[in-house]
């Protein structure tokens, strides 16, 4: 190869550009960087010149190791080029150009010109050797000639990217330089973590033979200067909050936000002698404003935020550590505050080896990240024990108090243009919602109302939505409630109203009083201050006692419909366990899940759970009594409604009787009430024969409401089969079947009646 020809190609044409002039843009800077890189290639060429002269005429060069090549490798001629005049000239030009580039960069920075390479160096804290490696890897992205150059220098034209060995030869002049270069390529360094593409196929190669390839994200950033074009993985896992767009207002916890801002301002005060790296662990229920608090804090200091979903990152197909490094790199590139949501995904209830490995990777990466950090979770996590390199500030966001919830409902109703007459205080008491959940409820209710045709046309503005249906709003509220009660209970959809309840006036009055206790609890406990007098026991418990079929389950549905709450009937088979401690565990789960929805818990046939405690004669008696005591505790702690139903009031433990707010006795109906029940069982559309005598049947047969319901339905099917209205004979036939089914012996008079 003619060295004069090579030297002529890379000679700088106009050195006047160096005199006091900066770069107009990044591409001018890269042009000089490539010229500098070409000088380094010349320098390497001269260092290999003698060896290549020996091998030039060998047609099998690179296919095998000859004896001459072997001797050359072990003896070496690394310094033979040092006295070559051409080599000395190249080295002088290289050093001059290095100084010129440094000078022009300084002028450009002072002039405010954005230099992507310099910005990346400063942002990620790259050292000189790491910077040179980035330029070498970037060369093939700017000029394809370097693909052939690298293939030539590596004796392999299929190698279109430089390997570590070639970069070390290009940039190192002594052993100290080589040691620094190896450290720069370490897997834990910023170069490997944030700049280089990870190729699993080359993992088995030695460090020196591994190709050095820039990650596509960094190529885009370095060539285009784009700080807002993340990789596809990061796009799926993150959202960006721009500091120039103010977040929606905080409706609660404004004092907490002010405290947070004051704390950050104090910790990052330039006059502060010692700064601590900070992490805010904000936890609380969904919609409590965790992300909103992070946005407000960032906006106050003019910082953008990169919000990453830890749950999605944990489920990604790619290795968790790689995804995490990409997210960290994006936050550094965008100079954004890093905010992780759903951090509880790293702390499963039963952690396995994979979960522990993810947690270690997370902690290790965060310990090397110096920026402000927000860690958001739905529950409190013990983060300070793992993240030891920074102060972790624990902040809980609770469900707003009763008065605050009422104010939230009112203000958001006005914002959504809701004009229906609703007692927002009652809704706020029924649904212990956060601000985010309330907003979502209104949004869903608008959609439900439009779907059913109750609202205005969808083309109208939000302010025109003044006709949100109340039922749609309640359905939207129920959709906001996420619980797992279905595992151990079944939901009963309430269909009955007060008119369907056939009870004496005293019992009905008790039921209405019980419902009023829930309706006006915010006034008594909140405005009148009774909450300060009661540490627990602010819920409502009712005991329905009476024979089978007297309307206990139906009345529970009436209460649920009156209060517009969900009603769940507890499946005792899923609660009671023969194993010690399992019953308590099941009950804890039931009450915990019910607290999320304020649901009504209905325990039917409650004798099995709430029976009298017995004298302790063996371990079984001891643990049975513990279960009963545990039930007492959970009943008192629950702020919602618990309804117990029993056929035998005498079997209920006295301790329960004392703690229950309302005991409503369902008497067996007398003839007059039975007649009312008979008449109420038949819909207005049902054809009733003229011979039907409800008064006669009610007086003749002492049957409770449940039995009467079965008889009415059975008689209706008999009439439908006969193609006639419901006649007396159909009712009598159904009565006979019902009595025989229950095992009752019919008297002679009753038999004669049939």
């Amino acid at each position: 190869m003619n060295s004069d020809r090579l030297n002529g190609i890379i000679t700088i044409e106009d050195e006047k550009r160096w005199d006091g002039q900066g770069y107009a843009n990044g591409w001018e800077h890269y042009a000089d960087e490539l010229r500098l890189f070409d000088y380094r290639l010349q320098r390497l060429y001269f260092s290999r010149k003698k060896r290549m002269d020996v091998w030039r005429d060998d047609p099998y060069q690179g296919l095998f190791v000859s004896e001459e090549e072997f001797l050359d490798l072990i003896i070496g001629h690394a310094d033979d080029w040092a006295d070559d005049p051409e080599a000395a000239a190249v080295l002088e030009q290289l050093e001059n150009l290095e100084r010129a580039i440094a000078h022009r960069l300084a002028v450009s920075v002072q002039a405010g010109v954005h230099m992507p390479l310099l910005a990346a160096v400063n942002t990620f804290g790259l050292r000189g050797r790491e910077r040179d490696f980035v330029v070498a890897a970037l060369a093939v992205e700017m000029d394809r000639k370097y693909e052939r150059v690298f293939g030539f220098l590596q004796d392999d034209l299929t190698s279109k990217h430089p390997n570590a060995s070639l970069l070390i030869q290009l940039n190192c002049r002594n052993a100290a330089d080589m040691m620094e270069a190896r450290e720069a390529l370490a897997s834990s360094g910023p170069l490997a973590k944030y700049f280089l593409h990870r190729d699993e196929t080359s993992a088995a190669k030695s460090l020196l033979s591994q190709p050095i390839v820039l990650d596509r994200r960094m190529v885009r950033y370095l060539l285009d200067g784009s700080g807002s074009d993340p990789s596809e993985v990061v796009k799926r896992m993150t959202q960006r909050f721009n500091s120039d767009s103010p977040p929606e207002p905080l409706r609660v916890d404004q004092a907490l936000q002010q405290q947070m801002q004051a704390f950050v301002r104090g910790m990052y005060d330039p006059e502060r002698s010692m700064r601590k790296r900070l992490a805010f662990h904000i936890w609380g229920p969904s919609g409590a404003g965790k992300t909103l608090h992070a946005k407000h804090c960032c906006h106050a200091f003019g910082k953008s935020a990169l919000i990453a979903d830890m749950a999605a990152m944990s489920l990604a197909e790619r290795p968790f550590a790689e995804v995490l490094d990409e997210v960290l790199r994006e936050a550094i590139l965008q100079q954004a505050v890093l905010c992780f949501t759903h951090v509880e995904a790293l702390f499963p209830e039963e952690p396995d080896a994979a979960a522990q490995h993810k947690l270690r990777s997370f902690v290790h990466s965060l310990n090397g990240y110096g920026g402000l950090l927000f860690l958001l979770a739905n529950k409190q996590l013990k983060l300070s024990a793992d993240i030891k390199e920074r102060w972790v500030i624990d902040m809980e966001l609770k469900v707003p108090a009763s008065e605050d919830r009422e104010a939230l409902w009112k203000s958001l109703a006005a914002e959504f243009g809701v004009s229906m007459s609703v007692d927002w205080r009652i809704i706020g008491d029924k649904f212990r919602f956060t601000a985010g959940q309330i907003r979502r409820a209104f949004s869903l209710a608008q959609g439900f109302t439009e779907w059913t045709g109750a609202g205005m046309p969808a083309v109208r503005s939000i302010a025109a939505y003044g006709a949100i249906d109340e039922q749609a709003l309640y359905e939207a509220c129920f959709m906001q409630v996420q619980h797992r009660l279905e595992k151990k209970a079944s939901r009963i959809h309430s269909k009955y109203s007060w008119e369907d309840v056939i009870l004496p006036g005293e019992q009905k009055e008790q039921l209405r009083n019980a419902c009023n206790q829930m309706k006006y609890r915010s006034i008594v406990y909140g405005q009148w201050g009774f909450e300060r007098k009661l540490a627990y026991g602010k819920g409502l418990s009712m005991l329905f006692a009476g024979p089978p079929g007297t309307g206990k389950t139906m009345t529970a549905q009436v209460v649920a419909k009156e209060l517009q709450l969900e009603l769940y009937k507890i499946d005792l088979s899923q609660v009671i366990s023969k194993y010690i401690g399992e019953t308590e565990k099941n009950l804890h789960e039931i009450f915990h899940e019910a607290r999320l929805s304020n649901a009504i818990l209905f325990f039917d046939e409650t004798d099995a759970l709430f029976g009298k405690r017995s004298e302790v004669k063996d371990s079984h008696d001891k643990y049975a009594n513990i279960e009963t005591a545990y039930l007492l505790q959970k009943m008192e702690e629950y702020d919602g409604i618990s309804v117990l139903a029993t056929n035998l009031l005498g079997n209920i433990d006295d301790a329960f009787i004392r703690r229950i707010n309302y005991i409503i006795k369902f008497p067996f109906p007398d003839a007059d009430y039975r007649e009312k029940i008979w008449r109420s069982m038949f819909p207005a559309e049902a054809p009733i024969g003229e011979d039907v005598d409800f008064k006669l049947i009610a007086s003749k047969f002492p049957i409770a409401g449940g039995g009467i319901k079965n008889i009415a339905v059975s008689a209706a099917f008999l009439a439908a089969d006969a193609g006639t209205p419901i006649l007396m004979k159909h009712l009598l036939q159904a009565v006979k079947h019902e009595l025989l089914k229950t095992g009752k012996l019919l008297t002679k008079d009753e038999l004669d009646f049939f």
Side-chain angles (χ1 to χ4, degrees):
M1 181 180 292
N2 191 320
S3 61
D4 291 336
R5 179 173 176 271
L6 179 62
N7 201 32
I9 290 176
I10 62 171
T11 300
I12 297 177
E13 299 176 355
D14 189 5
E15 297 186 3
K16 294 182 180 180
R17 298 186 294 112
W18 298 357
D19 297 335
Q21 295 185 14
Y23 294 110
N25 51 55
W27 283 100
E28 279 193 10
H29 171 218
Y30 286 138
D32 277 358
E33 290 287 354
L34 290 183
R35 290 188 178 92
L36 183 63
F37 185 61
D38 287 343
Y39 278 121
R40 289 198 173 101
L41 291 172
Q42 278 196 69
R43 173 182 168 277
L44 180 62
Y45 167 77
F46 284 118
S47 71
R48 293 184 175 184
K49 183 176 179 181
K50 182 176 181 180
R51 185 183 306 165
M52 288 190 293
D53 288 342
V54 174
W55 296 346
R56 182 174 295 114
D57 297 329
D58 186 354
Y60 301 105
Q61 177 186 351
L63 300 180
F64 76 103
V65 180
S66 65
E67 182 177 349
E68 291 81 2
E69 181 181 356
F70 168 75
L71 291 173
D72 187 66
L73 288 172
I74 62 175
I75 297 174
H77 300 277
D79 298 328
D80 289 354
W81 64 277
D83 297 330
D84 191 320
E86 288 183 303
V90 169
L91 185 59
E92 181 181 1
Q93 288 180 326
L94 187 153
E95 293 173 347
N96 290 338
L97 186 54
E98 283 179 340
R99 289 192 296 270
I101 290 175
H103 173 71
R104 296 191 69 190
L105 280 175
V107 174
S108 302
V109 170
Q110 190 173 7
V113 179
H114 177 64
M115 299 284 105
L117 178 61
L118 188 60
V121 168
N122 294 333
T123 299
F124 292 94
L126 299 185
R127 294 172 294 181
R129 201 68 60 194
E130 293 167 333
R131 173 192 178 282
D132 294 339
F133 289 171
V134 169
V135 172
L138 187 63
V140 295
E141 305 291 346
M142 294 186 286
D143 193 335
R144 290 198 62 188
K145 77 175 184 181
Y146 292 104
E147 293 181 356
R148 296 184 60 80
V149 169
F150 292 143
F152 170 78
L153 292 174
Q154 295 171 140
D155 294 329
D156 182 2
L157 289 181
T158 64
S159 298
K160 301 182 183 300
H161 295 274
N163 58 27
S165 175
L166 179 59
L167 293 187
I168 290 175
Q169 295 176 54
L170 281 170
N171 294 279
C172 300
R173 303 179 185 180
N174 50 51
D177 288 349
M178 293 182 65
M179 181 65 70
E180 182 183 344
R182 283 183 172 274
E183 292 177 358
L185 293 171
S187 59
S188 59
L191 193 64
K193 288 182 66 174
Y194 303 132
F195 283 81
L196 302 184
H197 171 69
R198 306 187 188 196
D199 185 3
E200 297 296 331
T201 60
S202 64
K205 297 181 180 180
S206 67
L207 173 63
L208 293 178
S209 61
Q210 290 183 7
I212 305 300
V213 183
L214 281 181
D215 185 88
R216 304 312 302 170
R217 173 67 178 104
M218 296 310 300
V219 171
R220 291 196 300 272
Y221 175 79
L222 292 170
L223 295 185
D224 303 334
S226 173
S228 57
D229 186 20
S231 66
E232 289 301 319
V233 172
V234 174
K235 286 180 181 178
R236 293 196 302 269
M237 306 294 176
T238 65
Q239 292 181 339
R240 178 182 169 86
F241 165 71
N242 293 314
S243 59
D244 54 355
S245 56
E248 62 181 271
L250 276 172
R251 300 181 182 273
V252 291
D253 297 321
Q254 292 90 343
L256 189 62
Q257 175 63 212
Q258 294 174 1
Q259 181 183 0
M260 183 192 304
Q261 293 181 18
F263 184 77
V264 172
R265 190 176 293 106
M267 290 302 301
Y268 289 95
D269 188 342
E271 297 182 0
R272 188 182 180 93
S273 58
M274 182 184 67
R275 297 183 184 180
K276 277 283 187 179
R277 292 190 296 173
L278 295 179
F280 285 101
H281 171 37
I282 308 177
W283 59 280
S286 176
K290 301 183 289 292
T291 306
L292 189 58
H293 270 283
K295 290 179 178 179
H296 271 271
C297 187
C298 293
H299 180 71
F301 296 98
K303 300 289 290 184
S304 297
L306 187 68
I307 304 169
D309 187 347
M310 184 58 66
M313 292 171 59
S314 299
L315 297 175
E317 295 180 358
R318 290 178 53 190
F320 175 77
E322 292 185 14
V323 176
L324 179 60
D325 283 345
E326 284 199 32
V327 171
L328 290 173
R329 177 182 67 192
E330 198 62 36
I332 296 172
L333 274 178
Q334 298 184 19
Q335 292 292 283
V337 174
L338 193 52
C339 175
F340 288 103
T341 63
H342 301 114
V343 181
E344 67 272 8
L346 291 175
F347 296 83
E349 294 182 0
E350 298 180 0
D352 53 11
Q356 293 174 354
H357 177 71
K358 289 178 182 178
L359 180 59
R360 286 195 297 270
S361 299
F362 181 69
V363 172
H364 176 73
S365 296
L366 291 190
N367 286 340
Y369 174 75
L372 180 62
L373 196 62
F374 287 93
L375 305 173
L376 314 182
N378 291 335
K379 61 181 181 180
Q380 187 178 24
L381 306 172
K382 303 299 183 183
L383 294 174
S384 55
D386 297 304
I387 305 176
K388 301 177 181 178
E389 300 299 323
R390 65 179 69 225
W391 279 357
V392 179
I393 310 301
D394 191 279
M395 294 171 49
E396 180 185 7
L397 299 182
K398 300 180 180 179
V399 174
S402 178
E403 296 84 354
D404 293 332
R405 290 200 301 273
E406 180 183 356
L408 283 170
W409 279 103
K410 287 181 178 178
S411 62
L412 287 171
E415 182 178 319
F416 278 81
V418 178
S419 59
M420 63 180 177
S421 178
V422 177
D423 191 338
W424 299 113
R425 174 184 51 80
I426 293 178
I427 291 185
D429 281 342
K430 290 178 182 177
F431 301 101
R432 296 169 54 82
F433 279 0
T434 59
Q437 288 176 307
I438 295 174
R439 174 179 290 278
R440 179 63 174 162
F442 277 117
S443 179
L444 288 174
Q446 284 184 341
F448 293 157
T449 305
E450 288 299 307
W451 172 252
T452 57
M456 296 182 180
V459 297
R460 300 286 295 276
S461 65
I462 286 181
Y465 286 99
I468 284 182
D469 181 70
E470 186 174 356
Q471 184 61 37
L473 182 59
Y474 271 93
E475 287 297 323
C477 288
F478 288 134
M479 287 194 66
Q480 293 296 295
V481 178
Q482 298 180 357
H483 56 67
R484 297 176 295 175
L485 277 173
E486 289 84 358
K487 294 176 62 178
K488 294 180 171 61
S490 56
R491 183 178 178 184
I492 300 177
H493 294 276
S494 306
K495 299 180 179 179
Y496 299 107
S497 61
W498 288 111
E499 290 73 21
D500 298 308
V501 178
I502 310 299
L503 281 175
E506 182 182 351
Q507 278 82 346
K508 274 197 170 183
E509 183 181 359
Q510 283 183 294
L511 288 170
R512 292 187 184 276
N513 289 339
C515 292
N516 289 336
Q517 183 167 327
M518 294 303 294
K519 289 180 180 179
Y520 304 110
R521 60 187 299 173
S522 63
I523 295 178
V524 174
Y525 292 138
Q527 297 179 19
W528 294 358
F530 275 83
E531 188 171 17
R532 298 193 303 271
K533 300 294 183 180
L534 300 174
Y536 56 88
K538 295 187 287 290
L540 175 64
S541 56
M542 293 186 285
L543 175 63
F544 296 168
T550 50
K552 298 185 291 297
T553 302
M554 182 182 72
T555 303
Q557 296 182 52
V558 172
V559 172
K561 186 175 183 180
E562 171 70 13
L563 297 175
Q564 292 183 287
L565 294 174
E566 292 179 308
L567 174 65
Y568 278 88
K569 183 178 180 180
I570 306 303
D571 185 354
L572 297 183
S573 66
Q574 297 293 321
V575 176
I576 301 175
S577 174
K578 65 180 180 180
Y579 298 105
I580 294 174
E582 282 298 310
T583 300
E584 291 90 330
K585 180 180 178 182
N586 294 333
L587 286 168
H588 172 78
E589 182 177 348
I590 286 173
F591 281 99
H592 173 74
E593 296 297 327
R595 189 173 290 109
L596 299 176
S597 64
N598 208 27
I600 298 177
L601 298 180
F602 179 58
F603 294 86
D604 199 9
E605 302 293 343
T606 192
D607 312 63
L609 279 174
F610 299 86
K612 289 187 175 181
R613 288 172 285 188
S614 60
E615 181 183 352
V616 177
K617 296 181 179 179
D618 55 28
S619 60
H620 295 285
D621 295 332
K622 174 183 177 182
Y623 286 107
N625 289 344
I626 290 176
E627 292 175 0
T628 304
Y630 186 76
L631 285 171
L632 286 172
Q633 174 187 335
K634 303 309 291 184
M635 287 272 293
E636 290 187 312
E637 290 176 355
Y638 185 47
D639 288 340
I641 302 177
S642 302
V643 179
L644 319 176
T646 180
N647 297 332
L648 298 171
L649 182 59
N651 287 351
I652 302 299
D653 192 287
D654 292 339
F656 282 106
I657 299 296
R658 180 172 56 84
R659 287 170 170 83
I660 291 172
N661 300 112
Y662 290 90
I663 298 177
I664 300 173
K665 298 179 181 179
F666 287 69
F668 192 90
D670 58 19
D672 292 337
Y673 280 105
R674 290 199 297 271
E675 182 182 353
K676 293 180 181 179
I677 295 173
W678 275 105
R679 295 185 183 279
S680 68
M681 285 298 174
F682 292 90
E685 300 86 352
I688 307 296
E690 294 181 357
D691 64 335
V692 172
D693 189 345
F694 288 124
K695 185 174 183 179
L696 176 62
I697 297 178
S699 63
K700 192 67 177 178
F701 301 102
I703 303 173
I708 295 175
K709 179 191 69 174
N710 295 336
I711 294 169
V713 174
S714 180
F717 277 104
L718 291 173
D721 180 57
T724 65
I726 302 173
L727 304 175
M728 191 68 170
K729 65 178 182 179
H730 300 137
L731 291 174
L732 293 176
Q733 186 178 353
V735 168
K736 184 177 180 179
H737 291 164
E738 182 68 19
L739 294 175
L740 292 175
K741 181 185 72 175
T742 58
K744 181 179 179 181
L745 297 177
L746 301 178
T747 65
K748 184 178 183 301
D749 290 341
E750 291 173 333
L751 288 173
D752 291 342
F753 188 81
F754 292 112

